[in-house]
Amino acid sequence: MAGGARELAGYLAALAGWVAALAAAVLPQWRQSSYAGDAIITAVGLHEGLWMSCAAQSTGQVQCRLHDSLLSLEVHIQTSRALMVISLLLGFFGIIVSVVGMKCTKVGEEDPVTKSRIAVAGGVLFVLSGLCTLAAVSLYATQVTYEFFRESTIPINARYEFGSALFVGWGAASLSMLGGSLLCCSCPAKEHRGQQYHRPSQPSTAREYV
């Protein structure tokens, strides 16, 4: 029961991490206008993400526009895009594989050893998904930090800083890696030990009747 509860907790954590990674990939708040400084230069708040950029007016009106060209984007945006897509694909396959391998499900193989190995494979996919999400978010955050602190003629309150999507991405990476690690703890060695323990008991009972 403890192993099944651990697998279920790991699966739910990894699933929540995948949903959060999907939300982070879609959100346009990967970087936003900085309000550091003494005065606010503009009443328009700018947000940029992997797929679109948005402008929020002080009246509450928001206008978004998709990025026009893929080849004209900066390298860190293209790299973060690719990593997030790979992360979502790995997480999607991890969801399917983990459902087959968990002890609390009756899908696929009935052999507990085989199911444990499948659950470990699903956990590995979730860990890789979390690493891709972590790499994408950290790369983007590094570029935002570099552009914020580099010497430039742009006023500090007209630059960009971290958006909320970056924090969602870091949380998603943590949940995915945590859930994948719990699923990887489904070691099939326990079943082998149990079989080896019961086998010697058969000859001993036969000797008593002789």
Side-chain angles (χ1 to χ4, degrees):
M1 294 298 292
R6 183 174 59 246
E7 285 182 354
L8 182 59
Y11 179 78
L12 293 177
L15 180 62
W18 186 82
V19 174
L22 178 61
V26 175
L27 287 174
Q29 288 88 6
W30 280 63
R31 67 174 185 173
Q32 61 186 12
S33 300
S34 175
Y35 295 102
D38 299 331
I40 298 177
I41 294 180
T42 177
V44 179
L46 300 178
H47 307 276
E48 290 189 7
L50 299 179
W51 313 98
M52 66 180 67
S53 57
C54 299
Q57 306 287 339
S58 58
T59 57
Q61 184 180 4
V62 179
Q63 295 179 347
C64 296
R65 185 186 68 178
L66 295 174
H67 293 314
D68 297 329
S69 175
L70 174 63
L71 299 179
S72 63
L73 292 175
E74 298 181 11
V75 177
H76 71 281
I77 298 180
Q78 297 183 20
T79 306
S80 297
R81 272 186 176 186
L83 288 172
M84 289 303 297
V85 171
I86 294 173
S87 172
L88 293 175
L89 289 176
L90 289 174
F92 177 75
F93 289 117
I95 292 172
I96 298 176
V97 173
S98 298
V99 168
V100 177
M102 286 194 302
K103 299 177 181 178
C104 58
T105 62
K106 296 182 179 179
V107 182
E109 296 287 341
E110 296 182 357
D111 184 12
V113 177
T114 304
K115 287 183 70 70
S116 297
R117 292 174 179 173
I118 296 175
V120 170
V124 171
L125 290 175
F126 278 126
V127 171
L128 293 176
S129 174
L131 289 175
C132 289
T133 302
L134 180 63
V137 175
S138 299
L139 175 64
Y140 198 97
T142 301
Q143 184 65 26
V144 172
T145 304
Y146 169 75
E147 294 179 357
F148 185 87
F149 288 106
R150 73 176 178 179
E151 295 182 2
S152 176
T153 57
I154 301 176
I156 189 172
N157 46 7
R159 303 176 188 177
Y160 289 95
E161 60 183 20
F162 292 169
S164 58
L166 293 182
F167 301 99
V168 175
W170 278 316
S174 301
L175 287 175
S176 296
M177 289 188 291
L178 175 61
S181 300
L182 292 176
L183 287 172
C184 288
C185 294
S186 303
C187 182
K190 294 181 179 181
E191 285 79 4
H192 289 296
R193 293 175 183 175
Q195 294 175 359
Q196 294 177 359
Y197 178 79
H198 289 289
R199 285 176 182 174
S201 61
Q202 296 178 356
S204 61
T205 55
R207 292 176 183 175
E208 293 177 0
Y209 288 102
V210 176

